[in-house]
Amino acid sequence: MELVTGVVLFFLGASLVADGASAVAFRPGRRLVLKAHGFRLAGISSVLGALTGSGTSLTLLGQTLYRLKALTFKEAALLALGGTFGATALVVFAGLARAELGPALLALGLLLDLSRKRAWAQAAYGLGLIFLALRFTGSGASELLPLLGRVGPLEVFMAGLVLTPWVGSANLFALLVLAFTRGAGGVEVSAGALILAAGVGSTGPLFMGGRREGVRLGVAIGLHRLLVAVVCFPLVFFKPDPILLHVGYHLFALVLYLPLHPFWEKFAMRLVPEFYVAPKYLRLEALSSPGFAKALALMELSRVGDVVLRMLRRSIQALAQDQGSEKELDPLEEKVDLLSREILLYAAALDGRDAFPLLTATSEMEHLGDLAKRFLRKVERLWAQGLTFSNEGQRQLVEAARLILARLELLNAALATGQPSLAEEVLKGRVQIEARMADLRLAHLDRLRAGKRESQASTLTHLDLLIVLDELDRGMTHIAGLIPEFRRSIDPGF
């Protein structure tokens, strides 16, 4: 039982250290990351990894910045590898620690918590639990290590490759091996194999989100780490110190990535091709004629609106049929994001304040896509609880959503043609939508007063969906109000 207690304390302590230290250092660290390039970025990420004790957070940050084109593929990979190497400082620190310091650190955490310094308190609690875990695991290690020694290192390595991606932290396994070493006075060959497998498995979080950029980075970094693990594997037969093996493996992976980067990026790009949606109407040569360029941008924005229309239509269909998932909207959401970014960059190339309405309308349209997905997400969460809407409530929500859908079709036509008369119809229809939303809230209130159980169970989601629909319509009305301004900037004589 002591061994189980120690393992649980390791997992909990490492999580608290990562959460607390990340809250303290992550925000200023992100600014440094965005300013750095090349190998300097790897150095900064190594420092941040050491301060936060978590390479996973930096790995996921690299994925996000790569998806947003703020970092190149190489820089995102260096951020992940550097952050994971820096995070090994937590294992080094634990190796120098004494279990007796555990209660003192827990007491320090309590004082920090009482003084409302929650992030610092979390880090202190985490370190205290890790130090206490050394005491518990040490006593049970002498019994476990002989069992581990009966399993071949290759079998342990393969098992580690399967299990560790779900944990996503190489530090946790290195800490366990460190504790076992203290308790038994030595380390089995298989324990070293587990450290190497955990190093490869720390790539796991990149695959969990399912995003194309994350999978592409995961393929390159994961195969690179696997190659390094294979190269280092013969070392485990010499039973090296677990701290040196852990730190050395991640340092070697970081340094070796530099010369191998072109190969890994090319391989990953071929295996997971870039998803790129080319703008259909934007033309760089048209920028010399601002009026013409804005007209093209409006047509492209209408194209984005068509994708948002498809997202909303699918969400309504899912609600009507009591079946669907927001994940089905991911490809459409990605298309909205990519095209919106292209329009924003195109608008930024225009001179003067005339580009502001285009920037505003594009940002608003991208937000409409988020709302269309949020609509289905809220419905799906209700289903996950085993609940559904009443028949009348479901019918009214579907009808209201279809009214918004029809107005979005009208808005897209106004954007594509630039006709203020169509935009005026959208603006005038806003009053009717406000009245309809008020009627639907009153109808829902009547069902609650009548004691209808399905309405009572789904009331929060029902009202949230009405808010989402109202927010959708407000955004559409805002865009429609900008169309006359677009028209005047395109045709000054209008």
Side-chain angles (χ1 to χ4, degrees), residues 389-463:
F389 301 101
S390 66
N391 290 335
E392 186 180 1
Q394 183 180 25
R395 177 183 58 79
Q396 290 180 351
L397 284 172
V398 171
E399 289 177 356
R402 285 174 177 164
L403 283 177
I404 304 300
L405 188 71
R407 285 171 52 74
L408 182 55
E409 290 175 339
L410 186 62
L411 174 64
N412 287 342
L415 289 170
T417 61
Q419 290 298 322
S421 58
L422 295 177
E424 188 64 25
E425 287 187 49
V426 178
L427 293 172
K428 289 180 179 179
R430 173 61 189 164
V431 177
Q432 297 175 348
I433 293 297
E434 288 178 335
R436 181 57 180 159
M437 291 298 169
D439 290 341
L440 291 176
R441 291 186 178 94
L442 288 174
H444 181 67
L445 182 60
D446 289 340
R447 288 192 294 274
L448 292 178
R449 287 171 175 166
K452 292 188 176 182
R453 292 184 178 180
E454 286 181 316
S455 296
Q456 291 173 346
S458 63
T459 181
L460 290 177
T461 302
H462 189 105
L463 294 175

Side-chain angles (χ1 to χ4, degrees), residues 60 78 84 158 177 233 237 337 341 349 378 388:
L60 296 179
L78 288 176
T84 308
M158 298 303 294
V177 172
F233 195 79
F237 295 98
D337 292 345
R341 188 180 299 114
K378 289 183 177 295
T388 187

Side-chain angles (χ1 to χ4, degrees), residues 73 203 206-207 213-224:
F73 186 93
T203 315
L206 286 171
F207 295 96
E213 295 84 2
V215 174
R216 188 181 302 121
L217 275 171
V219 167
I221 296 175
L223 290 177
H224 175 71

Side-chain angles (χ1 to χ4, degrees), residues 39-52:
F39 192 70
R40 181 168 175 262
L41 179 63
I44 290 176
S45 65
S46 297
V47 174
L48 289 176
L51 292 175
T52 62

Side-chain angles (χ1 to χ4, degrees), residues 151-161 189-190 193 233 236-237:
V151 183
L154 184 59
E155 287 82 357
V156 171
F157 182 78
M158 298 303 294
L161 289 181
V189 172
S190 297
F233 195 79
V236 303
F237 295 98

Side-chain angles (χ1 to χ4, degrees), residues 231-442:
V231 172
C232 295
F233 195 79
L235 295 176
V236 303
F237 295 98
F238 297 95
K239 300 182 180 181
D241 181 88
I243 296 178
L244 291 179
L245 181 61
H246 180 58
V247 176
Y249 166 78
H250 287 285
L251 176 60
F252 188 36
L254 174 60
V255 173
L256 190 61
Y257 184 80
L258 290 173
L260 295 180
H261 158 71
F263 170 76
W264 290 127
E265 180 174 3
K266 184 178 180 180
F267 180 81
M269 288 292 187
R270 182 173 297 178
L271 192 64
V272 188
E274 187 80 46
F275 179 77
Y276 179 70
V277 181
K280 187 175 181 180
Y281 300 106
L282 303 183
R283 297 290 182 272
L284 292 178
E285 58 271 20
L287 290 173
S288 58
S289 177
F292 182 45
K294 292 171 189 173
L296 293 177
L298 281 184
M299 294 174 67
E300 196 67 49
L301 185 58
S302 172
R303 186 181 175 209
V304 178
D306 287 338
V307 182
V308 174
L309 190 73
R310 290 164 58 191
M311 293 178 69
L312 184 56
R313 186 178 289 119
R314 288 193 186 181
S315 295
I316 298 171
Q317 184 180 16
L319 173 61
Q321 297 177 351
D322 279 327
Q323 184 178 0
S325 172
E326 68 165 319
K327 287 191 174 297
E328 299 172 5
L329 303 181
D330 285 348
L332 294 176
E333 182 188 33
E334 189 172 7
K335 188 173 183 178
V336 168
D337 292 345
L338 290 172
L339 288 177
S340 297
R341 188 180 299 114
E342 292 292 338
I343 297 173
L344 290 172
L345 294 175
Y346 192 76
L350 295 170
D351 294 329
R353 299 176 62 88
D354 289 343
F356 286 178
L358 181 57
L359 292 171
T360 302
T362 303
S363 299
E364 193 74 68
M365 185 65 80
E366 191 272 337
H367 182 55
L368 295 185
D370 293 339
L371 291 172
K373 189 174 182 182
R374 188 192 304 173
F375 185 89
L376 182 52
R377 182 186 307 133
K378 289 183 177 295
V379 175
E380 192 177 1
R381 286 179 179 174
L382 183 71
W383 294 337
Q385 301 173 52
L387 303 174
T388 187
F389 301 101
S390 66
N391 290 335
E392 186 180 1
Q394 183 180 25
R395 177 183 58 79
Q396 290 180 351
L397 284 172
V398 171
E399 289 177 356
R402 285 174 177 164
L403 283 177
I404 304 300
L405 188 71
R407 285 171 52 74
L408 182 55
E409 290 175 339
L410 186 62
L411 174 64
N412 287 342
L415 289 170
T417 61
Q419 290 298 322
S421 58
L422 295 177
E424 188 64 25
E425 287 187 49
V426 178
L427 293 172
K428 289 180 179 179
R430 173 61 189 164
V431 177
Q432 297 175 348
I433 293 297
E434 288 178 335
R436 181 57 180 159
M437 291 298 169
D439 290 341
L440 291 176
R441 291 186 178 94
L442 288 174

Side-chain angles (χ1 to χ4, degrees), residues 18-35:
D19 291 342
S22 294
V24 174
F26 207 55
R27 183 174 295 178
R30 280 183 297 185
R31 298 192 183 101
L32 292 175
V33 166
L34 289 171
K35 293 178 181 179

